[in-house]
Amino acid sequence: MAMDRYVITGKQRLEGTIRVSGAKNSSLPLLAATLLAEGTSALLEIPALADITHMIEVLEHLGCGVRRQDETLLINAGALESWDVDEGLMRQMRASNLILGPLLARHGRVKISRPGGCAIGSRPMDQHIKGLQQLGVKVKEKHGYIEAWTDQLRGADVYLDVPSVGATENIMMAAVLSKGITVIRNAAREPEIVDLQNFLNKMGAKVRGAGMDVLRIDGVDVLHPAEHTVISDRIEAGTHMIAAVMTEGDVVIENVVPEHLEPVIAKLRQAGANITLLDDSVRVQQRGRIKGVDIKTMPYPGFPTDMQPQFMAMLSCAEGTSIITETIFENRFQHVDELRRMGAQITIEGRTAVIRGVETLEGAFVEATDLRAGAALFLAALAAEEATVLEKVDYIDRGYENLEEKYRRLGARLRRVIQ
């Protein structure tokens, strides 16, 4: 399959205002949650991204009516016809597994194939399955398919071995229509979990504790459709902040929740960036070279693994030596070889990368291997001498809406070559 490429001329100082789109990683569970109620729910500010399109295809395959009116998606889940999802649809992205919980709650059964997505490490379904089994779900796995069914979901005390975001979301969505009380311990604490709780509660659910490591869900008999505006994308916001720093720019990033970005802001300030927090925007100014910093990725509220590749691009041209330790995904260093082609000096040992900053990166032919690796190479190209050809930008399209338009307005020189 031919993928598009970007041709980017570096060393352009970015200035101006850029607006962050709705969060992809919040939009996907919200879309899945619409399956829980008969009737039409409205979701606002859902970004137009490839992963969102795939999720909509999954919902339509199940019998939902979906239509877009400007920035609003209207999802009518009144006439659910199906409870099994085509393997081709499942393989396109991992988040399609988020329909497990809602379909078990609504239908009592579901059949999916193991999901696909970015190649950054195994994303085991075992936490999802174990949690659902505790709610009374029977699960059969064979030939790459997961079939699950239940006569009645029952509240339970569920402990997650690791604070998995997807498992927390799936168990929450199953538990809202179960009999009795469910407690999820060692739950993921991401802002996307809080956003899902807020939407479920608007639908009539009784969920509390999102953002903490213990969630309590009192099961109810029925949910109704609701309207909800998705939170802004903290990873997109963080990426724009680094772009401003790497180009010695002055950029105001709008539609930001600064609390969601605390570890990112702290590390950028430590590196010497000048960051001003406003109500729902941040201003990032940079003069001269940045200083190296050390980073260790951790589950929220720690430093996000989804920002690690972008920080590595920035630290490649920082003063001194930086160390990045990746604790979440086992092969999330696929961007290293490509950054080296641009002159970066990076050595890898196991889950640790040692980065010796160079004066400047150089343009080269590079290719994205996954979504955030693509973002890292995009940032490196903005800061590099001369031109960079970045292949396989379709990966970047999975998580960044209207990237070319947004960056052209800031003064970047780039064009997309459609293959």
Side-chain angles (χ1 to χ4, degrees):
M1 171 174 120
M3 286 197 181
D4 295 356
R5 56 170 66 153
Y6 280 145
V7 180
I8 300 167
T9 306
K11 294 284 183 213
Q12 309 296 315
R13 183 166 186 263
L14 299 184
E15 280 184 282
T17 300
I18 189 167
R19 184 180 158 81
V20 178
S21 299
K24 170 182 90 114
N25 289 342
S26 207
S27 299
L28 296 166
L30 293 174
L31 282 165
T34 62
L35 292 167
L36 290 163
E38 288 194 26
T40 302
S41 287
L43 296 176
L44 283 71
E45 299 209 15
I46 300 284
L49 298 170
D51 277 8
I52 303 292
T53 306
H54 291 320
M55 191 60 140
I56 289 170
E57 285 168 0
V58 169
L59 295 180
E60 288 175 336
H61 172 84
L62 294 170
C64 294
V66 184
R67 60 196 174 91
R68 194 181 262 278
Q69 277 183 344
D70 305 321
E71 287 293 288
T72 305
L73 271 181
L74 300 169
I75 302 102
N76 182 349
L80 279 189
E81 296 153 6
S82 174
W83 45 267
D84 66 336
V85 178
D86 173 64
E87 184 177 9
L89 284 175
M90 288 298 299
R91 285 195 176 279
Q92 290 177 335
M93 68 156 190
R94 66 170 201 282
S96 41
N97 63 19
L98 290 170
I99 62 168
L100 270 175
L103 281 180
L104 284 164
R106 229 346 247 284
H107 258 328
R109 64 183 310 180
V110 58
K111 182 182 178 186
I112 61 170
S113 72
R114 282 191 165 272
C118 275
I120 53 174
S122 65
R123 297 168 177 265
M125 288 283 297
D126 56 348
Q127 297 291 313
H128 300 245
I129 290 166
K130 201 175 85 172
L132 292 169
Q133 283 173 326
Q134 285 175 272
L135 299 181
V137 176
K138 306 227 178 351
V139 179
K140 187 169 72 183
E141 286 190 81
K142 60 178 189 187
H143 311 311
Y145 279 90
I146 299 168
E147 197 165 343
W149 65 96
T150 181
D151 293 329
Q152 174 67 63
L153 289 166
R154 297 196 179 282
D157 206 304
V158 178
Y159 176 82
L160 296 177
D161 298 330
V162 290
S164 156
V165 176
T168 303
E169 291 166 344
N170 247 329
I171 297 161
M172 271 170 85
M173 290 189 281
V176 287
L177 289 174
S178 66
K179 285 265 179 279
I181 294 165
T182 299
V183 177
I184 306 174
R185 300 184 194 279
N186 197 27
R189 296 167 58 185
E190 272 71 1
E192 293 78 11
I193 306 281
V194 180
D195 206 24
L196 178 60
Q197 169 182 283
N198 292 341
F199 180 50
L200 291 171
N201 288 347
K202 284 180 187 175
M203 296 171 82
K206 292 182 179 167
V207 186
R208 60 181 192 269
M212 317 285 226
D213 57 359
V214 179
L215 272 163
R216 180 189 158 115
I217 301 133
D218 292 76
V220 297
D221 292 334
V222 68
L223 295 180
H224 51 78
E227 181 178 296
H228 184 73
T229 302
V230 66
I231 56 171
S232 68
D233 196 308
R234 62 198 166 95
I235 306 301
E236 184 196 337
T239 304
H240 300 329
M241 293 175 78
I242 292 179
V245 169
M246 288 181 73
T247 61
E248 293 188 41
D250 181 353
V251 178
V252 174
I253 302 153
E254 295 180 333
N255 192 26
V256 173
V257 183
E259 291 76 26
H260 294 170
L261 283 158
E262 277 169 4
V264 171
I265 290 168
K267 283 294 171 189
L268 285 173
R269 281 180 169 156
Q270 198 185 324
N274 183 0
I275 297 171
T276 314
L277 303 184
L278 308 157
D279 283 344
D280 58 353
S281 58
V282 291
R283 181 178 181 186
V284 183
Q285 296 161 286
Q286 177 63 30
R287 278 271 171 265
R289 272 181 86 184
I290 36 191
K291 299 185 281 291
V293 292
D294 296 345
I295 282 163
K296 183 178 187 179
T297 64
M298 297 290 280
Y300 192 87
F303 189 91
T305 178
D306 275 356
M307 285 301 304
Q308 177 263 105
Q310 298 91 309
F311 259 77
M312 190 181 287
M314 180 185 85
L315 295 171
S316 295
C317 41
E319 277 179 321
T321 299
S322 306
I323 295 171
I324 293 180
T325 310
E326 173 57 68
T327 72
I328 311 287
F329 288 120
E330 64 269 26
N331 50 346
R332 190 150 217 182
F333 284 145
Q334 295 180 335
H335 43 288
V336 170
D337 286 341
E338 301 300 300
L339 286 170
R340 283 189 189 130
R341 295 172 75 134
M342 299 179 74
Q345 293 190 1
I346 305 168
T347 49
I348 301 286
E349 242 172 72
R351 290 189 168 218
T352 302
V354 179
I355 303 133
R356 287 176 188 80
V358 295
E359 265 305 317
T360 184
L361 296 169
E362 293 144 22
F365 275 83
V366 290
E367 71 173 46
T369 50
D370 61 72
L371 164 55
R372 306 303 172 188
L377 295 168
F378 178 82
L379 293 170
L382 291 174
E385 296 277 3
E386 297 177 348
T388 297
V389 177
L390 173 50
E391 305 270 7
K392 298 195 175 170
V393 299
D394 302 54
Y395 279 117
I396 300 175
D397 295 342
R398 294 181 66 154
Y400 295 91
E401 186 180 41
N402 301 333
L403 200 62
E404 302 103 276
E405 287 165 49
K406 287 182 179 182
Y407 272 78
R408 275 204 202 97
R409 280 189 220 127
L410 294 178
R413 288 177 59 192
L414 74 156
R415 60 190 172 90
R416 189 180 184 113
V417 180
I418 295 171
Q419 303 289 50

